[in-house]
Amino acid sequence: MLKKALSVLAIAALAVSAHAADTVLKVAASAVPHAEILNFVKPQLKAQGVDLQVREFSDYIQPNAAVEDKQLDANFFQHQPYLDSYNKDRKSSIVAVPNGKVHVEPFGAYSKKIKAVSELKDGATIAIPNDPSNAGRALVLLQKQGLIQLKDPANITATPIDIVKNPKKLKFRELEAALLPRALQDVDLALINTNYAIEAKLNPTKDALFIEGSDSPYANFVAARADRANDPAIAKLVKALHTPEVKKFIQEKYQGAVVPAF
């Protein structure tokens, strides 16, 4: 009887020990699609001893600030041009983790007032993101449509002052990326990041007047402080995000609005 009781206690102790051994990994993310993808892999990580805790943010500043300040371990919401710009402006040291690319969100142009680019009138107002990397991305896309010409066509950090030809005399409003869907009632055209477009119930593959191709270089990845880039728990997260199941999840849930980058 005593032996049986000891066995039960030993099993219980092992269960408590296994539970206590779970590594907590706190990751910042935009709600859509990043947090949705992270929540999809939570059970897989739990089975590997990693307790993934997803913290959702509605802007592009706080996810990096929280990681830099060691409040969170990693984040998943941005592409390299944005991170480069952020690190330069804030003198921070956040890096893309090894093999951390997960998906591309093709950037698109939306309107509530016109149904084709050809309907864009002279003097129309265009809303673009106000952060350097996404503003440049928007202008490069407008250039590909023949609406403007930039001093350097390949400059991904271009701003409206870099426009050398503007035949329609388009006017530009630079807004925080998260506010762009709300601006659609007030402008003729808005260039919107796909995560915010999806949150606003816009379907990038159907509603965008024009959109980047799947060859976009703006892959979203997992990022962390330089001293945590090779953390074992983060490496497990990256591996979990690169499975065939995640690829299928992205393809079926987002129907081309989000494209796997692995």
Side-chain angles (χ1 to χ4, degrees), residues 53 89-91 96 120 140 174 179 193 205 211 223 255:
Q53 297 182 4
D89 292 344
R90 309 266 173 163
K91 295 180 172 55
L120 203 60
V140 168
E174 297 179 74
L179 301 178
N193 295 76
T205 58
I211 196 167
Q255 298 291 309

Side-chain angles (χ1 to χ4, degrees), residues 21-93:
D22 279 358
T23 300
V24 174
L25 184 64
K26 299 177 182 178
V27 181
S30 297
V32 181
H34 308 82
E36 293 176 341
I37 297 171
L38 289 173
N39 285 322
F40 179 77
V41 302
K42 280 182 76 169
Q44 181 182 343
L45 287 168
K46 186 67 175 177
Q48 298 176 40
V50 177
D51 179 13
L52 177 61
Q53 297 182 4
V54 182
R55 306 289 175 84
E56 295 184 12
F57 290 82
S58 61
D59 73 306
Y60 288 163
I61 302 295
Q62 293 306 311
N64 276 333
V67 170
E68 184 72 15
D69 295 342
K70 300 184 179 181
Q71 297 174 33
L72 301 177
D73 303 304
N75 63 47
F76 175 37
F77 76 98
Q78 64 193 322
H79 51 63
Q80 193 65 53
Y82 179 81
L83 178 57
D84 290 344
S85 175
Y86 181 92
N87 281 334
K88 181 180 178 181
D89 292 344
R90 309 266 173 163
K91 295 180 172 55
S92 56
S93 56

Side-chain angles (χ1 to χ4, degrees), residues 30-34 57-58 178 181 193-202:
S30 297
V32 181
H34 308 82
F57 290 82
S58 61
N193 295 76
T194 293
N195 58 309
Y196 291 129
I198 295 174
E199 284 183 41
K201 309 302 181 186
L202 294 168

Side-chain angles (χ1 to χ4, degrees), residues 89-230:
D89 292 344
R90 309 266 173 163
K91 295 180 172 55
S92 56
S93 56
I94 297 172
V95 299
V97 305
N99 304 310
K101 293 180 180 179
V102 180
H103 70 266
V104 172
E105 300 172 18
F107 196 69
Y110 302 83
S111 178
K112 294 289 187 182
K113 299 182 178 180
I114 62 173
K115 295 184 178 181
V117 181
S118 58
E119 298 174 15
L120 203 60
K121 296 179 180 178
D122 289 357
T125 300
I126 313 293
I128 64 174
N130 65 357
D131 61 273
S133 62
N134 283 308
R137 185 180 186 183
L139 293 173
V140 168
L141 186 55
L142 288 167
Q143 178 178 247
K144 288 181 178 178
Q145 292 295 313
L147 294 171
I148 60 171
Q149 184 176 325
L150 297 169
K151 188 188 320 180
D152 177 1
N155 182 11
I156 59 173
T157 58
T159 69
I161 65 172
D162 296 307
I163 298 172
V164 292
K165 288 186 180 180
N166 184 1
K168 284 184 172 289
K169 295 181 172 53
L170 302 174
K171 300 171 184 175
F172 292 90
R173 286 181 59 185
E174 297 179 74
L175 302 172
E176 185 179 339
L179 301 178
L180 288 165
R182 300 182 210 172
L184 281 172
Q185 302 295 339
D186 304 317
V187 300
D188 297 289
L189 192 72
L191 282 291
I192 305 175
N193 295 76
T194 293
N195 58 309
Y196 291 129
I198 295 174
E199 284 183 41
K201 309 302 181 186
L202 294 168
N203 184 326
T205 58
K206 294 180 181 178
D207 298 327
L209 273 64
F210 52 90
I211 196 167
E212 288 175 334
S214 59
D215 58 345
S216 166
Y218 295 87
N220 284 204
F221 52 74
V222 177
R225 296 186 308 278
D227 63 327
R228 295 291 305 278
N230 295 298

